[in-house]
Each structure stands twice: as structure tokens, then as C-alpha cells.
Amino acid sequence: MNEFRIKGLSCAGCAQRIEDEIKQLEHGADAKLSYNSGKLTIDPRISMPKVNHILKSDGAYIASSLVQTQEHSHSHEEGAGTTAHSDHHGHDHDHSHADGNNKMLKLLITSGIIYAAALLLEGVLDKQSLILLYLTATIISGYTTFFRGLKNLSKFKFNMDTLMTIALVGAVAIGEWKEATLVAILFGLNELLEGFGMEKARRSMEALLKVAPKEAVKIINGKEVIVPISSLQVNDLVKIKPGEKIPSDGVITDGNSSVNESPITGESLPVEKERGEPVYGGSINNEGLLWVRIEKAYKDSSLAKILHLVQEAQETKTPTELYINKFSKYYTPLIMLVAVLVVLVPPLFFQGDWQAWLYQGLSVLIVGCPCALILSSPIAIVSGITRNARNGVLIKGGVFLEQLGKIDTLAFDKTGTLTKGEPHVAQMEIYDDMHFFKIAGAIEKSSLHPLAQAIMKEVTLRDTEVPEPDGFQTIAGQGIKAQINGKHYSLGNEKSIEHITIPLHVQQKINALKEEGLTLVIVADEIQVLGMFGIADEIRDESRAVIQALHKLGIKQTVMLTGDHQKTAEKVAAAVGVSSFYGNLLPEDKVKQIKKLTASGHVAMIGDGINDAPALASAQLGIAMGKGTDSAIETADIVLMQDHLGKLPEAVSIAKRVNRIIKFNISISLGLKIIALLLTIPGWLTLWIAILSDMGATIFVTLVSLTLLIEPRKKH
């Protein structure tokens, strides 16, 4: 399929109309035009001159091609970069969309000046001259609407252009030149402002897509060669100077610097990086020189995935949008029927004046324009997705943003989500200060086991001088036996000390630590226990605050699901403050629990491990930690690009706000129309009140939706 960026789409109805017309062309059945992103997807075999003719007749045009010349699956990313680049420089087509808006604005200003002149010259010029001025102003501002409306009428297609055309013709027919002109000007202004509003939301989204670097400095046989990032392969070596963007995911082979990862994770503070540490494509090298070994080709990098997800997110329609579009199809014909009844019933049955009620009927037609109603959702959705993406929270579609705002139950995996997934020493019991840390360090210092690394952190903190062991023996199911300075020692679980008579107070401590769900590592010599480490998975610093914030936002239930035994689960649950918890769960058990929770609420599941993927898929909404496994990220509907939960409450808050704004916008749009229609009962509705009610609602819902893009001031 070929993809193009379309400019000049003034409203969602225009986009739908263009899509319907393209679908009628040969090979056009699969055509898709998204108003939210301005992207047109069509079959390569379709006739482009015919497509261009349809676009031109609606005042739209192809601004740039999103077709990827390099063959790979993620064509969206570079296309997005190309579009952003061409839009920014504005030299490809029609001198950019801004010029199209400026042209329309100039026409409306000219039309407004002529209209004002006609009003001022009433009583000075003769009637024919005034009519000529009004007609000129009407043609300048309303000719595109008029021609589109006539075209629709010839096909018996009824939409807002059709309604406006009938209203204009009717107003002129009954001699209401002044109001017909005002209607044309205000409708043109309405479309212009509507276009500006959506363009503002799109440009905010495009600003995110500009984080993609275009080129990289690749080291080939010791020489620096500038290459496109699309050509980078695994194991390529690249050089990144201060201030430059890192082209793709990789590992630093030389150099050290602080790196700004905010384009990827949304974190504002730079991260210190040195040799051996990973870096993300799209992040910015601050001050030092870095040499990076590429680990993922650009198309598979974090940045490429982000751009792909953000692009795709704009294409999906939410249930609310689909409902509004369906409602509009019935709403417009219904308004036309009401207008006909307003024109006919009073004169035929209540001796009303034909011209007066014809005027009222024309006003009803203008009230029927569903501009504001159709616009109630898309700008808010794009703004919400953009705002979250800035924070490093990727939402794969408007439907998931809407669902996030409705959830009342959040299920958490424990390991790697509420906890760090790294063992740490939670408690220690020491019976021999002189030998405990020395012996533990001597046995564990060469081990790569996670428990050994946790113990070595404690040993290192005490600056203990660790002796060299004379020999090791690993005993399966127990631990390690070692000979140090001619004496025998053991380190391991309870089985490793079966050769010792355990004093009562030591046994009681062992039982107490086990009761707390800790993993025991006991250090002993041939006759006594020297001490023991109680090891647990370290709880994330932010977990408790995140759970509290979620409860304040209206999340009724927070549930922890874990494969760990019940005692460990109980301890972590108490520490972080979740509503309930379930331990000893296999992956399939997590799925069963999610299904149970789903039966009584709107459930989201958040996890980071490969064993979380089934539960993420079975929940109504799956949320993955960005530094988790690829399978969890691919399965999830929402991705947190940070390695913590800190951004989750704000994401939920934004989603809830988006839903509130959409409901508010729909209420305002319909409310103003109902008020305007009620004015027909006493015969008070006028053409200018009708258009102002529609335009006022459109401007209002646009501005309210755009408030989502405003970042709150950070407290210092």
C-alpha cells in the first residue's frame, strides 16, 4: 500500500467524504484516510490523477509521500521523519499547509472588509450596488462550500456542505443578502479555525517524530563515514559527538558522558553513561565523545518502535468517535426533515408567514451542521496521546486511551514491576562479627549468582578484607562448602547446616525470617552458625506512592499477582499498599485471576516479564514496562518506557481528563444546538445566531481539547 500525508483537510467530515469518493475508484476499495493524522493509504494500482482531482475538489492536496524506499516493515518511522522535514522546510508542495491557511485567511479578511463596507454604505449606494457587494463577499468566502454542496446535491449526498449550500441559496432566494453573506463568512471562518485546531494537535505530534536522527557517523576500517541511519546493522560501530542524537540502540564501547533520555523515557534528568552501558536511539549525548556498538538495526530500535506506535495510535477510532460518526449520518437527514417541517407546518396549519418560516427553516439547516459534534473527540484523543508520549508513555491507539480513563481495577505483577527484580539483603543476624563478613565474602566474591551479588554489596559496604579460599565444593540443593585458612566453612540454606546442633534462639530466628518470606543464606563453620542473611526482592522506592496516587484518582482495586509464595506476597503487598494480593501463581493462574476480576470491573494488567504476556493479553488493557521483555511490550496496549511506575498515575489522570473533555464537548455541541432549535418555537432563530451557535461550539471544543497539550508547571 502507498501512504501519503494529506494537507488542507478542514474537517473530519471532509476526510470521510474524500475517503468514500476514493473508495469508488478502481482499486480504491481499501483506501483509508485518517483525519487525525492526515494520512492516506491507497492501493499502488489506483489512478493518482483521479485521486488528486478528488482531493483538489475538496481543497486538499498531497503534501508528501510516506512510502519507504528502504524495504523493511516499519516504513512509518522514516516516512514520519521525511514528512516532518519537508513540512518544516516547506518546499515540496504548495509552500506548506500554513500558506494554504494564510490564503484562506486572506480571502476571509477580504470578504469581511467588503461585507463591512456594504453595511456602512447602506443608504448611500443603491440596492443593486449593495447586492453586488454582498454577492462578491459571499462568493469570495463561500464558493468552495457552494461547489462542494452542489456536487453533493447532484449525488443526493447530504452533509454539512449540502446544508450550507441549501441555506445560502434559500437566503439569497428570499432576499436576505446581508445574512447570507454573514453565514458564508462565518462558515469559512469556522472551517479555518477547525483546521487550525487539528493542525495544532498534529504539529504537536509531529514534534515528537522529529527526534529521529537522519544520519550517523559510522567507523569503517578506522575511518569516519556519514551514513543514513536506515543502513545501520547490528555490530556497526558509530561515533557520537556532544549534542548529537544516538542513532540506534547499542552499548558504549568507549567514552563516557551524560545522556538525555527524555525523548525515549520522558525522564528530565540526564543519565551518566560509561563503557559497557546500554544507550537508546533518539537519546542525546550531552558533553563527551561516545563510541557505540549497534545492537539493533534502526527498524528494530526503541526509537523506531516508539515512532511506529505513535503513528499507528492516531489511525484508530475510539468507540465514541465511531458512535458520533454513526450518529451524524442519521442526525443530518433528521435536521433536514425538521427544517422542512418548520417551513411547512406553521404556514399550512397556523396561518404563519411563508417567508418568515422559510427563513426559520434555513436557520435550522445551519444549526444542523455537525462540525462541533464530529470534532468533540479527535483533537482531544490526539492531544492526549501526544501528551502521554512526551512523558514516555506510549498508547497504541485512541481506543486504549479511552479504556485507560475507564479502568477501576489495576492488577500488578510483583517481580520487576512493584519490586526491582533484584535481590537485596533485607535483614541480617550476626553471631560472629569477626568472621561472618570475611567468610561470606571469600565464598561469594567469584560467584555470578544474584544472591551472591546481593551479599557482596553488604560485604563491600563494610570495606571488609576478604581472604582467598583454599578450595570450593558446590553441594546441589544446599549451597557451597569452602576451606579458608585451613578451616572448613559452609554457606547456603538450612540443609547446609544439618551437621550442626542448632541452639534454640538461632532456630527461632531462622523460623522468624522464613515467616517473613525471606530467602535465607546461612554462614557457618564446623561447629556453629556465624550469622545469616535474609534476602528479598527490593521494593521500588516509588511503588507505595504510585499505589496511593492511583487510589486517589478513583482506581477502586489494586491487586498484586505473583508466583512467589504467599508469605513473600503478603509482605510486599503490605509494604506497597495494594488492596489485595495472590501468591503461588503460575502464568495460567494469573490469566484466571484477570478473568475473575474482569467479570466485575474494567481491568488493566501491568507487568514486565515474558510470563506476564498471557495476562497482559487477557486483560481489557495491557500495560508493559518499557525496559521489560519484547514479548510483553508487543502484547501490551500501553508501554511505560521508564524502568519504573512513576509516570503511570499521570497517564491515568490524562486519560480520565480526555474522557471528561470528550463528554463535555459532546454536551456543549448538542446543548447549543438544542437551545438554537428551541428558538424556532417563538420564531426567534436567525441565520447569524444559527451559524454562531455552531461556530462558537466548534471553537470552544477545539480550545478545550488543546488544553490537554499544556504541561503543568513543575514545582521546584
Side-chain angles (χ1 to χ4, degrees), residues 62-303:
I62 294 174
S64 56
S65 172
L66 302 184
V67 174
Q68 180 61 281
T69 52
Q70 299 286 333
E71 287 189 0
H72 59 65
S73 59
H74 293 290
S75 63
H76 304 76
E77 294 84 68
E78 289 189 1
T82 304
T83 306
H85 177 78
S86 60
D87 287 350
H88 176 69
H89 292 286
H91 295 310
D92 352 340
H93 302 272
D94 280 11
H95 309 291
S96 90
H97 185 55
D99 284 352
N101 281 337
N102 288 336
K103 181 183 175 184
M104 183 64 182
L105 185 59
K106 285 173 184 175
L107 288 174
L108 287 172
I109 290 170
T110 304
S111 183
I113 291 169
I114 295 170
Y115 180 70
L119 289 175
L120 292 170
L121 293 171
E122 273 192 13
V124 178
L125 295 178
D126 58 76
K127 189 176 180 181
Q128 284 71 25
S129 300
L130 284 172
I131 288 174
L132 184 61
L133 285 175
Y134 285 131
L135 182 61
T136 304
T138 303
I139 290 170
I140 291 172
S141 58
Y143 71 95
T144 53
T145 302
F146 183 73
F147 286 126
R148 287 199 303 257
L150 284 180
K151 186 178 172 185
N152 291 335
L153 269 174
S154 67
K155 296 177 181 178
F156 295 99
K157 190 183 288 183
F158 299 103
N159 57 20
M160 62 187 81
D161 291 323
T162 317
L163 298 181
M164 290 303 297
T165 300
I166 294 170
L168 282 173
V169 171
V172 168
I174 62 174
E176 294 289 347
W177 290 97
K178 188 191 301 183
E179 298 209 18
T181 308
L182 182 62
V183 165
I185 293 170
L186 290 178
F187 187 72
L189 182 61
N190 193 35
E191 284 204 326
L192 181 69
L193 292 171
E194 190 176 330
F196 269 131
M198 196 66 213
E199 192 63 21
K200 167 71 177 170
R202 288 197 199 112
R203 288 205 178 280
S204 183
M205 180 69 81
E206 286 172 2
L208 287 170
L209 306 180
K210 290 180 184 178
V211 299
K214 306 293 181 294
E215 297 171 328
V217 178
K218 182 177 172 182
I219 308 299
I220 304 174
N221 298 324
K223 293 183 179 179
E224 296 180 7
V225 181
I226 297 173
V227 299
I229 59 166
S230 58
S231 68
L232 291 177
Q233 299 297 320
V234 176
N235 290 325
D236 282 351
L237 184 65
V238 295
K239 178 182 176 183
I240 300 109
K241 297 174 185 175
E244 289 184 344
K245 292 174 182 174
I246 294 166
S248 190
D249 296 2
V251 172
I252 297 171
T253 60
D254 199 8
N256 57 75
S257 178
S258 66
V259 174
N260 176 6
E261 294 185 341
S262 62
I264 308 298
T265 66
E267 304 283 21
S268 56
L269 294 176
V271 182
E272 294 296 328
K273 298 280 185 178
E274 57 186 30
R275 185 174 180 175
E277 292 197 286
V279 288
Y280 296 108
S283 52
I284 302 161
N285 177 23
N286 282 340
E287 67 278 329
L289 274 174
L290 292 177
W291 283 263
V292 173
R293 178 81 58 193
I294 298 299
E295 288 204 322
K296 289 182 181 177
Y298 171 71
K299 65 186 176 71
D300 299 318
S301 69
S302 301
L303 177 62

Side-chain angles (χ1 to χ4, degrees), residues 29-77:
D30 296 325
K32 184 181 177 185
L33 176 59
S34 168
Y35 175 60
N36 290 12
S37 62
K39 189 172 81 175
L40 172 65
T41 306
I42 51 175
D43 191 302
R45 297 171 295 172
I46 203 167
S47 167
M48 286 309 296
K50 289 181 179 178
V51 171
N52 279 316
H53 177 72
I54 291 170
L55 291 168
K56 192 176 179 183
S57 67
D58 271 274
Y61 59 93
I62 294 174
S64 56
S65 172
L66 302 184
V67 174
Q68 180 61 281
T69 52
Q70 299 286 333
E71 287 189 0
H72 59 65
S73 59
H74 293 290
S75 63
H76 304 76
E77 294 84 68

Side-chain angles (χ1 to χ4, degrees), residues 423 443-454 456 480:
I443 296 173
E444 296 284 46
K445 69 177 181 180
S446 57
S447 174
L448 298 177
H449 193 282
L451 295 183
Q453 292 176 358
M456 285 309 298
I480 300 170

Side-chain angles (χ1 to χ4, degrees), residues 579-596:
S579 311
S580 55
F581 64 93
Y582 299 91
N584 297 315
L585 299 179
L586 296 171
E588 56 266 31
D589 298 324
K590 290 183 181 181
V591 172
K592 287 176 186 174
Q593 286 297 337
I594 290 291
K595 287 180 177 176
K596 281 183 186 176

Side-chain angles (χ1 to χ4, degrees), residues 502-652:
I502 309 296
L504 181 61
H505 72 282
V506 175
Q507 188 61 56
Q508 285 174 337
K509 190 62 183 178
I510 289 172
N511 294 340
L513 292 176
K514 284 166 64 179
E515 278 293 310
E516 291 186 39
L518 299 176
T519 299
L520 290 188
V521 176
I522 303 168
V523 182
D525 60 19
E526 292 171 305
I527 58 171
Q528 65 176 349
V529 173
L530 304 179
M532 63 190 88
F533 297 95
I535 297 178
D537 187 0
E538 189 173 1
I539 295 169
R540 291 181 181 276
D541 297 334
E542 77 282 356
S543 290
R544 187 168 186 84
V546 165
I547 299 297
Q548 286 176 343
L550 290 169
H551 285 156
K552 283 181 183 176
L553 285 169
I555 303 298
K556 294 174 185 174
Q557 273 197 92
T558 49
V559 183
M560 187 183 76
L561 308 176
T562 179
D564 278 351
H565 55 78
Q566 200 72 1
K567 282 291 178 185
T568 302
E570 185 179 358
K571 186 180 177 184
V572 174
V576 300
V578 291
S579 311
S580 55
F581 64 93
Y582 299 91
N584 297 315
L585 299 179
L586 296 171
E588 56 266 31
D589 298 324
K590 290 183 181 181
V591 172
K592 287 176 186 174
Q593 286 297 337
I594 290 291
K595 287 180 177 176
K596 281 183 186 176
L597 292 168
T598 303
S600 59
H602 297 281
V603 180
M605 167 75 187
I606 178 163
D608 79 321
I610 193 163
N611 64 329
D612 298 323
L616 290 172
S618 61
Q620 288 158 313
L621 196 63
I623 305 173
M625 306 281 280
K627 293 185 181 177
T629 63
D630 285 344
S631 64
I633 293 170
E634 290 298 324
T635 308
D637 308 308
I638 296 173
V639 182
L640 305 178
M641 291 307 296
Q642 313 84 28
D643 193 23
H644 59 75
L645 297 171
K647 301 283 185 178
L648 182 59
E650 188 177 357
V652 172

